[in-house]
Amino acid sequence: MSLDKATVARIAHLARIKVPEGELDHLAGELNTILHFVEQLNEVDTQGVPPMTSVVAMGLRRREDAVTDGGQVEAVVANAPNHVAGFFAVPKVVE
Amino acid sequence: MTNLTHLTLAAARDGLRAKAFTAVELTEAHIRAVEANRALNAFITETPDRALDMARQSDARLAKGEGGPMEGLPLAIKDLFCTKGVLTTAASHILDGFHPQYESSVTANLWRDGAVMLGKVNLDEFAMGSANITSYYGPVKSPWRRADGKDLVPGGSSGGSAAAVAARMALAATGTDTGGSIRQPASFVGIVGLKPTYGRCSRWGTVAFASSLDQAGPMTRTVRDAAIMLRSMAGFDPKDSTSVDTPVPDYEAALTGDIRGLKVGIPREYRVDGMPAEIERVWQQGIDWLRQAGAEIVDISLPHTKYALPTYYIVAPAECSSNLARYDGVRFGLRVEGKSLNEMYENTRAEGFGAEVRRRILIGTYVLSAGYYDAYYKKAQQIRSLIARDFAEAHKQVDIILTPTAPSTAFAVGENDDDPVKMYLNDVFTVPASLAGLPGISVPAGLGEDGLPLGLQLIGRPFDEETMIRVAGVMEAAAGFTALPHLLRGEV
């Protein structure tokens, strides 16, 4: 299947990336090239094949449920473009 | 004094211990080389003051006989590893001004063992690319030249690492490999690149691209150097849930030179249509070398090889779209204001990401979106299981697998970039092992008809880097690769 302009615009919104109207056609073309390339996977019979969940055969480790880090407000916000009193500051969300 | 920048990592280590020169002298020589080769654009951030400071501390420890395994050895660090207080960019505009408040586990391990940081080297943006042409900081040039005089790419994504090591700006460099980003550039510039088994090196503090594939590894000028450096980089880390808790062996001790009786698999599916004759020739040469050294050559089959690349181009973008969701203009890096929070996100991400990263995020978003997840992502993960199963079956018959590293020698800037899929084909031989999480190493094997380096790849069993290193050492000795990049000819 092929992506049309409207679908590309919808995906771009889902990904929160603004794509100018004028670039949508070109981008749809590029994305379709990639999607056509991966379509050959449909040739493979995967009936009953478990999807890979871990590339190394290992279970997830458990650890004690204890606080191991924290209390580093300054370090956490040190790289924020805008922060106020130890909080990240963003444009107003509630009207 | 010998030319300090032309020493191997091992020779520099031994020279420091024998007090033939100091860590400060060694570091100063490399700082001069970094400055002299700025035209390659290999470094994003140079840290000469920090390097000299670290070198002075190394000299003090060496004087007391307390030097670590990597004491005083100057390295280049791919700018994907977070380095505390030192600008870390992932070669992306969106990480503008990001100064990590913590150190990645891999670099922390290297500093623990005494290594010296020369600076942070260039890469494809977020390690997405095979030519180091997608960096926000501009493309990296290879120190190699072709007869037509055009600038060549160093491969990617670890292109700055590859160029820095090949041009003798650093004794060695860290790289990361998601689908071939250590091995392919190593092949392009005539150095050794080792991708360990998934889980061998901690991913903590390394900027994530595709978490189920990303793995750090050494890029060096010899196999011995890779063995030395891997030992320092590797190790269990409780901060990475996929880090594996098995002891790190002395990889250097694996270099016995004896591969008699070892079984080497040659996968027939890697003879792809239209493979250049020179690749075929170098591969056959590698087979002959290993046979002459006493190994047994076995034809094997990895039936799902042709599906590895399309599988990768679903799995990697899917994981990338999730991982890169964190760049939202709120917590770090670039922010482009907007009238609402959503508009701020959209503006920031539109300006912050380059074209290739944007493409992959969009593909990933699509294949994970409602209604398409099963058709694309689940299907790809099923085929990934089949690819891993192929390798597991093959490794029952053979100890190691030998293939070419890349389907060509280095190409020029501007070539292969008209079509994203054409560029992706660079990774056709490296991606399968990545999907299966297996260790791989590229060893320089010879020169193509254009006078440019070609590497051969060995793929080992999980967590059996030692056998891989042993075979790589034998192949390296047989190849006797001594060609220098054109940039350095006349220097020695």
Side-chain angles (χ1 to χ4, degrees), chain B residues 1-6 22-37 52 74 118 168-170:
Chain B
M1 202 186 316
T2 50
N3 197 337
L4 294 177
T5 59
H6 283 258
T22 66
V24 167
E25 287 165 346
L26 184 65
T27 300
E28 282 172 340
H30 282 93
I31 291 171
R32 282 194 296 275
V34 169
E35 289 170 354
N37 290 300
L52 286 170
L118 290 165
R168 275 63 179 170
M169 299 157 85

Tab-separated table of all heavy atoms in Angstrom, chain B residues 1-6 22-37 52 74 118 168-170:
chain	number	residue	atom	x	y	z
B	1	MET	N	62.838	10.667	18.784
B	1	MET	CA	61.700	9.887	19.258
B	1	MET	C	60.866	9.402	18.071
B	1	MET	O	60.747	10.098	17.075
B	1	MET	CB	60.846	10.747	20.186
B	1	MET	CG	59.996	9.903	21.107
B	1	MET	SD	58.847	10.866	22.106
B	1	MET	CE	59.836	12.227	22.673
B	2	THR	N	60.315	8.223	18.197
B	2	THR	CA	59.458	7.710	17.131
B	2	THR	C	58.220	8.595	17.017
B	2	THR	O	57.872	9.328	17.926
B	2	THR	CB	58.983	6.281	17.461
B	2	THR	OG1	58.453	6.289	18.779
B	2	THR	CG2	60.092	5.272	17.350
B	3	ASN	N	57.554	8.487	15.884
B	3	ASN	CA	56.337	9.248	15.685
B	3	ASN	C	55.239	8.663	16.576
B	3	ASN	O	54.673	7.613	16.282
B	3	ASN	CB	55.950	9.180	14.204
B	3	ASN	CG	54.953	10.250	13.861
B	3	ASN	OD1	54.242	10.749	14.736
B	3	ASN	ND2	54.901	10.592	12.592
B	4	LEU	N	54.933	9.353	17.656
B	4	LEU	CA	54.057	8.786	18.685
B	4	LEU	C	52.641	8.507	18.191
B	4	LEU	O	51.976	7.607	18.692
B	4	LEU	CB	54.008	9.717	19.906
B	4	LEU	CG	55.322	9.872	20.680
B	4	LEU	CD1	55.153	10.867	21.821
B	4	LEU	CD2	55.797	8.527	21.221
B	5	THR	N	52.191	9.279	17.203
B	5	THR	CA	50.811	9.070	16.751
B	5	THR	C	50.693	7.843	15.852
B	5	THR	O	49.583	7.420	15.544
B	5	THR	CB	50.269	10.299	15.998
B	5	THR	OG1	51.113	10.560	14.877
B	5	THR	CG2	50.208	11.514	16.895
B	6	HIS	N	51.818	7.301	15.412
B	6	HIS	CA	51.752	6.106	14.558
B	6	HIS	C	51.887	4.808	15.353
B	6	HIS	O	51.877	3.727	14.776
B	6	HIS	CB	52.804	6.187	13.443
B	6	HIS	CG	52.401	7.107	12.338
B	6	HIS	ND1	51.907	6.668	11.134
B	6	HIS	CD2	52.377	8.462	12.288
B	6	HIS	CE1	51.607	7.716	10.368
B	6	HIS	NE2	51.888	8.803	11.042
B	22	THR	N	56.301	10.003	27.985
B	22	THR	CA	55.289	10.213	29.021
B	22	THR	C	53.897	10.301	28.396
B	22	THR	O	53.761	10.511	27.181
B	22	THR	CB	55.551	11.525	29.791
B	22	THR	OG1	55.359	12.616	28.866
B	22	THR	CG2	56.964	11.566	30.356
B	23	ALA	N	52.896	10.184	29.245
B	23	ALA	CA	51.514	10.317	28.768
B	23	ALA	C	51.268	11.727	28.249
B	23	ALA	O	50.520	11.919	27.287
B	23	ALA	CB	50.540	9.978	29.896
B	24	VAL	N	51.919	12.718	28.873
B	24	VAL	CA	51.761	14.097	28.398
B	24	VAL	C	52.358	14.242	26.999
B	24	VAL	O	51.745	14.837	26.110
B	24	VAL	CB	52.406	15.098	29.401
B	24	VAL	CG1	52.528	16.482	28.772
B	24	VAL	CG2	51.568	15.171	30.682
B	25	GLU	N	53.536	13.652	26.776
B	25	GLU	CA	54.136	13.731	25.426
B	25	GLU	C	53.246	13.038	24.394
B	25	GLU	O	53.025	13.543	23.291
B	25	GLU	CB	55.527	13.074	25.427
B	25	GLU	CG	56.584	13.911	26.135
B	25	GLU	CD	57.865	13.120	26.453
B	25	GLU	OE1	57.851	11.866	26.379
B	25	GLU	OE2	58.861	13.765	26.781
B	26	LEU	N	52.746	11.896	24.778
B	26	LEU	CA	51.886	11.124	23.875
B	26	LEU	C	50.614	11.914	23.550
B	26	LEU	O	50.164	11.982	22.400
B	26	LEU	CB	51.536	9.783	24.539
B	26	LEU	CG	50.728	8.772	23.740
B	26	LEU	CD1	51.507	8.269	22.531
B	26	LEU	CD2	50.342	7.576	24.625
B	27	THR	N	50.062	12.529	24.572
B	27	THR	CA	48.822	13.294	24.400
B	27	THR	C	49.073	14.554	23.582
B	27	THR	O	48.290	14.887	22.691
B	27	THR	CB	48.231	13.626	25.787
B	27	THR	OG1	47.966	12.394	26.464
B	27	THR	CG2	46.944	14.429	25.674
B	28	GLU	N	50.183	15.235	23.857
B	28	GLU	CA	50.497	16.451	23.091
B	28	GLU	C	50.656	16.132	21.606
B	28	GLU	O	50.195	16.885	20.744
B	28	GLU	CB	51.791	17.098	23.620
B	28	GLU	CG	51.564	17.888	24.910
B	28	GLU	CD	52.857	18.373	25.551
B	28	GLU	OE1	53.933	17.806	25.252
B	28	GLU	OE2	52.773	19.318	26.367
B	29	ALA	N	51.300	15.011	21.313
B	29	ALA	CA	51.479	14.626	19.902
B	29	ALA	C	50.118	14.433	19.230
B	29	ALA	O	49.908	14.827	18.076
B	29	ALA	CB	52.306	13.339	19.816
B	30	HIS	N	49.184	13.835	19.969
B	30	HIS	CA	47.855	13.608	19.388
B	30	HIS	C	47.046	14.896	19.280
B	30	HIS	O	46.301	15.086	18.320
B	30	HIS	CB	47.109	12.537	20.187
B	30	HIS	CG	47.579	11.145	19.858
B	30	HIS	ND1	48.557	10.503	20.574
B	30	HIS	CD2	47.231	10.310	18.851
B	30	HIS	CE1	48.794	9.315	20.027
B	30	HIS	NE2	47.998	9.177	18.983
B	31	ILE	N	47.207	15.785	20.249
B	31	ILE	CA	46.501	17.081	20.161
B	31	ILE	C	46.979	17.833	18.911
B	31	ILE	O	46.181	18.414	18.183
B	31	ILE	CB	46.735	17.916	21.446
B	31	ILE	CG1	46.006	17.250	22.627
B	31	ILE	CG2	46.266	19.353	21.259
B	31	ILE	CD1	46.329	17.858	23.985
B	32	ARG	N	48.281	17.767	18.645
B	32	ARG	CA	48.803	18.422	17.428
B	32	ARG	C	48.203	17.777	16.173
B	32	ARG	O	47.851	18.463	15.219
B	32	ARG	CB	50.343	18.331	17.388
B	32	ARG	CG	51.038	19.341	18.299
B	32	ARG	CD	52.524	19.459	17.979
B	32	ARG	NE	53.261	18.223	18.212
B	32	ARG	CZ	53.763	17.852	19.407
B	32	ARG	NH1	53.617	18.647	20.461
B	32	ARG	NH2	54.409	16.713	19.541
B	33	ALA	N	48.070	16.463	16.191
B	33	ALA	CA	47.494	15.764	15.023
B	33	ALA	C	46.022	16.144	14.840
B	33	ALA	O	45.552	16.303	13.708
B	33	ALA	CB	47.639	14.255	15.193
B	34	VAL	N	45.319	16.284	15.952
B	34	VAL	CA	43.904	16.696	15.872
B	34	VAL	C	43.816	18.084	15.241
B	34	VAL	O	43.011	18.328	14.337
B	34	VAL	CB	43.259	16.685	17.281
B	34	VAL	CG1	41.894	17.361	17.256
B	34	VAL	CG2	43.147	15.260	17.810
B	35	GLU	N	44.689	18.980	15.701
B	35	GLU	CA	44.656	20.355	15.189
B	35	GLU	C	45.059	20.414	13.716
B	35	GLU	O	44.510	21.190	12.947
B	35	GLU	CB	45.580	21.240	16.031
B	35	GLU	CG	45.021	21.493	17.432
B	35	GLU	CD	46.013	22.156	18.372
B	35	GLU	OE1	47.198	22.342	17.999
B	35	GLU	OE2	45.596	22.470	19.508
B	36	ALA	N	46.020	19.565	13.349
B	36	ALA	CA	46.527	19.601	11.975
B	36	ALA	C	45.520	19.039	10.969
B	36	ALA	O	45.606	19.321	9.777
B	36	ALA	CB	47.844	18.814	11.889
B	37	ASN	N	44.585	18.241	11.450
B	37	ASN	CA	43.662	17.564	10.525
B	37	ASN	C	42.219	18.032	10.667
B	37	ASN	O	41.286	17.279	10.405
B	37	ASN	CB	43.745	16.052	10.749
B	37	ASN	CG	45.077	15.488	10.276
B	37	ASN	OD1	45.420	15.609	9.104
B	37	ASN	ND2	45.839	14.912	11.189
B	52	LEU	N	45.161	16.966	28.578
B	52	LEU	CA	46.463	17.156	29.225
B	52	LEU	C	46.364	16.946	30.732
B	52	LEU	O	47.275	16.388	31.349
B	52	LEU	CB	47.011	18.554	28.906
B	52	LEU	CG	47.523	18.682	27.463
B	52	LEU	CD1	47.825	20.140	27.122
B	52	LEU	CD2	48.771	17.804	27.256
B	74	PRO	N	45.525	8.173	24.675
B	74	PRO	CA	44.557	9.170	24.175
B	74	PRO	C	43.553	8.581	23.181
B	74	PRO	O	43.929	7.961	22.192
B	74	PRO	CB	45.431	10.226	23.481
B	74	PRO	CG	46.839	9.881	23.791
B	74	PRO	CD	46.884	8.430	24.141
B	118	LEU	N	40.562	12.884	24.126
B	118	LEU	CA	40.993	13.975	23.251
B	118	LEU	C	39.825	14.857	22.843
B	118	LEU	O	40.003	16.028	22.512
B	118	LEU	CB	41.632	13.399	21.979
B	118	LEU	CG	42.980	12.717	22.171
B	118	LEU	CD1	43.316	11.880	20.938
B	118	LEU	CD2	44.071	13.744	22.432
B	168	ARG	N	45.421	8.902	12.334
B	168	ARG	CA	46.370	8.943	13.460
B	168	ARG	C	46.165	10.185	14.322
B	168	ARG	O	47.119	10.784	14.820
B	168	ARG	CB	47.825	8.890	12.952
B	168	ARG	CG	48.394	7.495	12.700
B	168	ARG	CD	47.677	6.745	11.621
B	168	ARG	NE	48.282	5.416	11.388
B	168	ARG	CZ	47.741	4.466	10.626
B	168	ARG	NH1	46.590	4.675	10.017
B	168	ARG	NH2	48.336	3.309	10.475
B	169	MET	N	44.908	10.574	14.481
B	169	MET	CA	44.584	11.675	15.395
B	169	MET	C	44.325	11.128	16.792
B	169	MET	O	44.339	11.876	17.776
B	169	MET	CB	43.341	12.417	14.897
B	169	MET	CG	43.543	13.041	13.517
B	169	MET	SD	41.971	13.308	12.656
B	169	MET	CE	41.502	14.873	13.335
B	170	ALA	N	44.008	9.841	16.875
B	170	ALA	CA	43.763	9.183	18.160
B	170	ALA	C	44.291	7.759	18.045
B	170	ALA	O	44.288	7.185	16.955
B	170	ALA	CB	42.275	9.167	18.492
